[in-house]
Amino acid sequence: MNKASVLIVDDRPENLIALEATLESLDCDIIQASSGEAALELSLDLDIAIILLDVQMPGMDGYETAEMFRSIKRTRNIPIIFVTAICKAQQHMFKGYAAGGVDFLFKPIEEEVLLSKVKVFLAMDAQKQQLKQQSSLLDGQLRELKQRKAELSLERYRLEKAQEVAGVGSWDLIDRENKAGFTAQCYRVLGLTDSENTQLSSLLSQVDQEARTVIDNSIRSFQQGEPAFWDIEHKITTQDGNEKTIRHHGEDFIDEETRTRHLIATVQDITELRGAQQQLMIANTILENATEGMVITNEQGTIEWVNRAFCELMGYAAEELLNGPIKILRSERHDAAFYRDMWETLLEEKSWQGEIWNRNKSGQALLFMSTIALVEGNQNEGTQYLAIYNDITDLKAEGSLTNYLPNHDALTRLPDHYLLEDRLVQTCHYAANFSKQVALIYLDIESFSYINQEFGFPFGDTVLQKIAKRIDSAIGYQTSLYRVCNDEFAFIVPFSDTGREFIFYINMIREKLTRPLHIDKHSLSLNLKVGVSVYPRDSKSPVDLIERARDALRHNEKEARSSFCFYNEDINKQIKDSLLLESDIRNALEKKEFFLTYQPKLNMATAEIEGVEALIRWQHPEHGIVSPINFIPAAEASGLILPLSEWVLDEACRQAKLWHTQGYKITTAVNISAGHFNNGKLLEDIDKTLKKYNLPAECLEIEITENMMMQNMDVIIPMLKALKARKVCISIDDFGTGYSSFAYLKSLPVDTLKIDRSFIKDLHHHKDDIHIVQAITNMAHKMGLKVVAEGVEEQEHCQQLCSIGCDVVQGYYISRPEKADNIQGLLDVAYISHLSI
């Protein structure tokens, strides 16, 4: 066993030498520290049995050091004996005990007393270490027992996992007992709880009457010694009100070893299977009755399925086409290069769209507007191809293809919003007949206007063509894609589940579409916003359904982190309110309704205003002064935060230059939004603004919140270093509310920490807040950082912060935020003389 360690802490070297000489006779390691800070640092790396701590030391005294030990999880249980020359007055001893001490030694120290007390705590530490070893030994034995238990239950686990994978549960009944045993998967399938595993009544109470009669009769036959068998499908209603379709199979079985008769039953939830079969049947009905000709082939070009419209177009019976080669339809009007280009596009983009000539059974060549999509199956199924044909021969021959194009987008050749409405009417009609749902999905390419502005409209058209092919490929052949306007697309998912599986389906499509798009030498990463409305939940009118999908999309565009959004009744109001607020913000920028107020920051040592923080306000023509909390979130969601942030920076620098010209040596702090940091223009904007007003960089202070810094460190830290190189002051706002640490701060180019107001407001009531502010202040000072306390609203706050050593205070007790003219008078005098501190 390693020797125990005794840590002695004293700022006088002679005291350390004397204490170590006294303790040399003990079987322990003696460790010295000359300050509270050094002791704390040593204790984080070493295992300490007991601490002998001097009370009177410069910097952190013994009581403060003890409190810090108690605030750290690793050191809070180390016994501390205070060594002091202070008198034995009770108030001093009570203070020591409150700080976490367990005993006192008074100078001059009696060696026998010192040795006896240290021996006691060393013996206690030895017992603690012995208990740890015994605990470790018991843990090892417990692990062995658990391993044996795991091995014994392995076979049962394998059975349960096999049932879970197969989605099959089981229950059994022995001889004449009415006590059933259920597997874990059986509980899940039937929606039962473990407490119900002894009674069949829990199961049978959920089964419909017809099935219950069959099962009851079989159980009765089993209990009478007769053969029992059933294999049925039935409905159950689970305890949470969900209805399931169950396949239920049961038969009697005799154990050959024990000759015991069992009734073994299996249950399988086939709700999704039956639902999928019904959806497939309905989808097949839609495809079979579609006006477009459709054909599916395998990888070898063998026809596997055709719809009625295709047979009518080509003049063949279905039996004549199935299992035959698709090549029999070729018209010989296209050369090899045409088919080579078509296949290259199809394999790269997973779809192809264009005009193609085919020949019908009578030999007539027909021109089709065709879309071919690649349908990837699993390893056993292979790949299939779905082709959709619209006959445009007559339109082309008459030179009137333009009669076709009004209902199709000229750029992407996708059907337009008129055909979307027509198809939605048909789909909702089918859904109504089968009591199913229809999801209408609207998609929008985020920031597409930027692509047009940056690369030009021809490049943007190419992006739309490429993304249209990707979407068409991603959504599969079960539905059609529509281009409804500009960069918005839509498609219909008939009879879809709007729960977890549907969300997974949408996210899978988004993931495919957000893969980099390579055009010329450019690689673009696009993001899609998705809005969803559901028939008949949101509306039974196809026209209203379209509007509500678009409403959901617009609502989603306001949410910075949202991927998709379903329509609900509240969205109309939310959209109207947000659009109105966004419009008001735009007008306010144009009409210069925004203005800045400035809140002074008071230096506690010089009694002077050393800086101000610029705070934006809005003079609304109808609502008066509007607080930032009511319009900043809307500005961030709409992208207006960037021009707003640029205006604040410009206006604050303009005013700072005026003060600088008048001889005031103060800094002006500006809060920078995450959007301004992330758009890559912040450094350029700051350089341009400083140059515009010829403002020294040290007159500007940039404030960034702790949470923003921790969430975007890879982006923000290089920018902070660049700002620091320009001599711009940097402050971390709301410190203490996020997840940063002083270890991170060591590597950051930061000048100031602003302690969050939540630690200040109850400073004179809660001792914990005092300790936290004291610790932050001490550590910040050790790192050479200035500390600002914000939210100072009472005299007691100032008094506490002054005693703690806080450098700067800011809050209503000093001054409310005021316009620049009203701040002027505070800059001319030593302001602290007006306060009671």
Side-chain angles (χ1 to χ4, degrees):
M1 181 182 296
N2 295 330
K3 289 184 179 181
S5 297
V6 177
L7 175 60
I8 54 179
V9 187
D10 200 305
D11 63 301
R12 295 178 176 274
E14 61 270 20
N15 291 345
L16 292 173
I17 294 171
L19 285 171
E20 183 171 2
T22 303
L23 298 173
E24 279 183 343
S25 62
L26 301 179
D27 186 23
C28 63
D29 291 327
I30 310 299
I31 302 167
Q32 296 182 6
S34 59
S35 67
E37 291 85 348
L40 286 167
E41 188 171 351
L42 286 170
S43 67
L44 295 177
D45 298 324
L46 301 174
D47 291 325
I48 307 298
I50 183 173
I51 300 172
L52 300 179
L53 179 59
D54 186 26
V55 172
Q56 292 180 306
M57 295 187 294
M60 292 176 61
D61 64 18
Y63 297 139
E64 291 174 322
T65 304
E67 289 180 348
M68 291 300 293
F69 275 118
R70 290 296 172 259
S71 68
I72 300 172
K73 183 177 181 180
R74 174 179 170 81
T75 61
R76 66 174 50 140
N77 294 319
I78 301 175
I80 298 174
I81 297 179
F82 287 110
V83 180
T84 180
I86 301 175
C87 68
K88 300 181 181 180
Q90 285 188 344
Q91 65 266 27
H92 294 295
M93 297 183 68
F94 286 154
K95 185 176 181 179
Y97 292 134
V102 298
D103 207 346
F104 275 83
L105 285 171
F106 296 96
K107 300 176 182 178
I109 299 173
E110 297 182 21
E111 291 187 6
E112 291 183 1
V113 174
L114 170 63
L115 290 172
S116 63
K117 289 188 176 185
V118 172
K119 284 179 181 179
V120 169
F121 285 105
L122 289 177
M124 292 172 60
D125 183 73
Q127 291 177 349
K128 184 172 71 172
Q129 299 303 323
Q130 186 176 4
L131 286 173
K132 283 185 177 179
Q133 289 183 346
Q134 293 175 350
S135 176
S136 177
L137 180 62
L138 289 173
D139 286 343
Q141 293 173 346
L142 181 61
R143 283 194 297 271
E144 289 181 6
L145 290 173
K146 287 182 178 179
Q147 184 176 355
R148 293 175 187 173
K149 183 178 179 181
E151 291 171 354
L152 290 173
S153 62
L154 180 59
E155 289 304 319
R156 179 169 182 173
Y157 170 78
R158 286 173 175 168
L159 173 62
E160 290 180 351
K161 291 302 292 182
Q163 288 192 347
E164 183 179 345
V165 171
V168 177
S170 63
W171 61 270
D172 67 280
L173 191 64
I174 302 176
D175 279 342
R176 299 175 183 273
E177 298 180 12
N178 194 32
K179 183 177 180 181
F182 294 78
T183 64
Q185 184 62 22
C186 189
Y187 290 133
R188 285 190 284 269
V189 170
L190 301 177
L192 298 174
T193 59
D194 290 351
S195 62
E196 298 165 322
N197 65 343
T198 58
Q199 297 293 330
L200 277 174
S201 58
S202 299
L203 164 64
L204 298 179
S205 65
Q206 302 176 88
V207 178
D208 60 56
Q209 186 58 48
E210 182 178 353
R212 179 167 184 168
T213 300
V214 173
I215 298 172
D216 279 340
N217 291 339
S218 297
I219 293 175
R220 192 175 301 109
S221 298
F222 170 75
Q223 291 173 337
Q224 293 173 357
E226 299 175 359
F229 176 85
W230 72 89
D231 190 358
I232 58 176
E233 289 184 17
H234 61 78
K235 302 284 187 181
I236 66 168
T237 302
T238 61
Q239 294 175 342
D240 56 9
N242 292 327
E243 186 178 85
K244 292 184 176 182
T245 302
I246 302 295
R247 182 177 180 185
H248 207 150
H249 175 92
E251 59 183 299
D252 60 315
F253 163 78
I254 298 178
D255 187 331
E256 294 296 337
E257 293 185 3
T258 63
R259 303 305 299 171
T260 304
R261 291 180 71 245
H262 295 260
L263 181 61
I264 307 294
T266 59
V267 290
Q268 181 180 16
D269 183 359
I270 59 172
T271 309
E272 291 186 3
L273 175 63
R274 291 293 177 257
Q277 288 175 340
Q278 188 176 19
Q279 290 187 20
L280 181 61
M281 178 187 70
I282 298 169
N284 283 337
T285 301
I286 294 174
L287 295 176
E288 187 63 34
N289 290 279
T291 57
E292 299 93 344
M294 299 183 186
V295 57
I296 295 176
T297 71
N298 61 18
E299 287 181 283
Q300 291 73 38
T302 301
I303 298 173
E304 296 184 339
W305 177 86
V306 292
N307 72 344
R308 184 167 56 194
F310 185 79
C311 293
E312 292 173 353
L313 284 171
M314 306 311 297
Y316 288 94
E319 295 77 14
E320 296 178 278
L321 293 171
L322 293 177
N323 299 317
I326 192 71
K327 290 182 179 181
I328 65 170
L329 304 176
R330 284 193 177 182
S331 65
E332 308 302 333
R333 292 199 178 192
H334 301 293
D335 56 16
F338 171 85
Y339 290 105
R340 183 173 60 250
D341 292 343
M342 181 184 76
W343 279 101
E344 286 179 357
T345 301
L346 184 57
L347 294 175
E348 179 183 350
E349 301 292 340
K350 311 301 183 186
S351 67
W352 175 87
Q353 192 173 55
E355 297 178 3
I356 188 170
W357 287 92
N358 282 328
R359 196 174 298 278
N360 64 14
K361 186 176 180 180
S362 64
Q364 180 185 6
L366 301 174
L367 179 62
F368 294 95
M369 181 65 71
S370 177
T371 298
I372 304 175
L374 184 149
V375 184
E376 293 180 328
N378 58 37
Q379 192 173 17
N380 296 325
E381 295 174 345
T383 300
Q384 294 176 303
Y385 298 94
L386 168 69
I388 303 173
Y389 294 98
N390 281 290
D391 184 0
I392 59 171
T393 310
D394 294 339
L395 295 173
K396 194 76 171 183
E398 297 170 5
S400 57
L401 185 57
T402 52
N403 293 329
Y404 168 81
L405 292 177
N407 288 335
H408 288 74
D409 174 51
L411 179 66
T412 63
R413 297 297 178 90
L414 293 175
D416 64 6
H417 64 284
Y418 294 110
L419 288 180
L420 169 66
E421 184 177 340
D422 180 71
R423 182 53 53 87
L424 189 59
V425 170
Q426 297 178 37
T427 308
C428 291
H429 176 71
Y430 280 108
N433 290 338
F434 290 94
S435 300
K436 292 294 182 178
Q437 298 183 97
V438 175
L440 175 61
I441 295 94
Y442 261 64
L443 307 100
D444 175 73
I445 304 174
E446 196 172 25
S447 302
F448 180 73
S449 59
Y450 168 79
I451 295 174
N452 282 332
Q453 293 169 6
E454 187 72 15
F455 301 101
F457 288 101
F459 186 88
D461 288 345
T462 303
V463 171
L464 285 174
Q465 290 172 328
K466 293 278 188 180
I467 203 68
K469 289 180 179 179
R470 278 203 179 181
I471 298 174
D472 206 24
S473 171
I475 64 178
Y477 65 86
Q478 296 95 336
T479 186
S480 297
L481 179 66
Y482 303 82
R483 185 186 179 197
V484 290
C485 69
N486 197 19
D487 59 341
E488 286 186 13
F489 299 86
F491 63 95
I492 304 166
V493 180
F495 327 111
S496 60
D497 175 15
T498 56
R500 193 175 304 169
E501 293 84 357
F502 180 69
I503 294 172
F504 174 80
Y505 172 66
I506 293 294
N507 279 333
M508 179 187 67
I509 292 174
R510 290 184 70 256
E511 189 275 329
K512 288 183 179 180
L513 298 179
T514 51
R515 293 172 186 169
L517 191 67
H518 301 288
I519 301 176
D520 297 332
K521 296 180 180 180
H522 302 285
S523 180
L524 303 177
S525 294
L526 302 177
N527 187 36
L528 289 179
K529 295 288 189 177
V530 181
V532 184
S533 63
V534 178
Y535 170 91
R537 185 191 69 188
D538 297 330
S539 177
K540 293 184 179 181
S541 164
V543 174
D544 290 344
L545 208 61
I546 291 172
E547 285 304 312
R548 292 182 178 182
R550 299 188 71 174
D551 285 348
L553 179 61
R554 287 196 293 269
H555 180 76
N556 192 7
E557 288 171 348
K558 306 299 178 185
E559 301 293 331
R561 298 183 180 180
S562 181
S563 59
F564 57 86
C565 179
F566 288 95
Y567 177 87
N568 60 57
E569 290 300 330
D570 295 330
I571 288 182
N572 273 330
K573 185 177 185 305
Q574 292 176 15
I575 288 177
K576 289 178 182 178
D577 291 345
S578 63
L579 289 177
L580 180 60
L581 181 56
E582 179 182 333
S583 176
D584 284 352
I585 294 173
R586 291 184 190 277
N587 291 333
L589 282 167
E590 294 176 4
K591 297 177 181 179
K592 300 181 179 181
E593 294 173 0
F594 293 107
F595 65 94
L596 292 185
T597 61
Y598 300 88
Q599 188 169 39
K601 294 189 284 189
L602 178 69
N603 187 300
M604 300 287 279
T606 66
E608 294 178 349
I609 301 300
E610 71 164 35
V612 295
E613 180 180 0
L615 301 169
I616 190 170
R617 296 292 185 267
W618 181 7
Q619 181 67 53
H620 195 284
E622 296 178 8
H623 307 302
I625 302 297
V626 180
S627 170
I629 197 172
N630 295 321
F631 65 83
I632 290 296
E636 289 175 337
S638 64
L640 292 173
I641 193 66
L642 292 179
L644 201 58
S645 184
E646 291 169 357
W647 177 84
V648 170
L649 178 64
D650 186 89
E651 176 62 17
C653 287
R654 184 194 65 80
Q655 181 60 50
K657 176 60 178 177
L658 289 177
W659 282 324
H660 181 72
T661 303
Q662 294 167 5
Y664 297 111
K665 306 301 182 183
I666 63 172
T667 60
T668 300
V670 177
N671 294 279
I672 299 297
S673 69
H676 208 163
F677 262 103
N678 294 331
N679 81 332
K681 291 182 58 184
L682 179 61
L683 289 176
E684 178 186 342
D685 290 342
I686 289 176
D687 288 342
K688 182 175 64 176
T689 307
L690 292 176
K691 183 178 180 181
K692 175 181 177 181
Y693 294 110
N694 193 26
L695 178 68
E698 55 267 25
C699 293
L700 176 64
E701 182 176 7
I702 296 301
E703 290 194 4
I704 176 175
T705 66
E706 181 185 12
N707 281 328
M708 189 196 309
M709 180 188 69
M710 297 306 297
Q711 291 171 6
N712 302 277
M713 291 188 70
D714 292 342
V715 174
I716 289 177
I717 289 178
M719 299 186 72
L720 293 183
K721 290 181 178 179
L723 289 171
K724 186 68 173 178
R726 289 162 167 78
K727 298 184 179 181
V728 174
C729 302
I730 300 170
S731 174
I732 296 182
D733 199 6
D734 301 338
F735 188 80
T737 61
Y739 302 95
S740 62
S741 67
F742 284 99
Y744 276 117
L745 292 178
K746 287 181 181 179
S747 61
L748 295 178
V750 177
D751 302 293
T752 304
L753 296 186
K754 293 189 70 174
I755 302 176
D756 186 69
R757 65 181 64 248
S758 61
F759 299 112
I760 306 300
K761 64 178 181 179
D762 295 321
L763 194 65
H764 51 298
H765 297 305
H766 294 159
K767 193 174 182 181
D768 289 344
D769 287 342
I770 296 177
H771 292 160
I772 291 171
V773 174
Q774 179 74 73
I776 292 174
T777 302
N778 289 342
M779 296 302 288
H781 286 165
K782 293 289 184 183
M783 297 171 61
L785 302 179
K786 183 184 293 186
V787 177
V788 176
E790 56 182 347
V792 176
E793 298 183 357
E794 300 180 24
Q795 176 184 346
E796 290 85 350
H797 292 163
C798 280
Q799 293 171 338
Q800 289 278 7
L801 291 167
C802 186
S803 65
I804 286 172
C806 182
D807 303 299
V808 179
V809 293
Q810 175 185 350
Y812 282 8
Y813 185 65
I814 309 304
S815 172
R816 289 177 174 271
E818 300 283 356
K819 290 185 177 181
D821 293 342
N822 298 333
I823 292 294
Q824 195 83 20
L826 304 180
L827 305 179
D828 294 323
V829 294
Y831 187 62
I832 203 168
S833 62
H834 297 274
L835 303 173
S836 299
I837 298 178

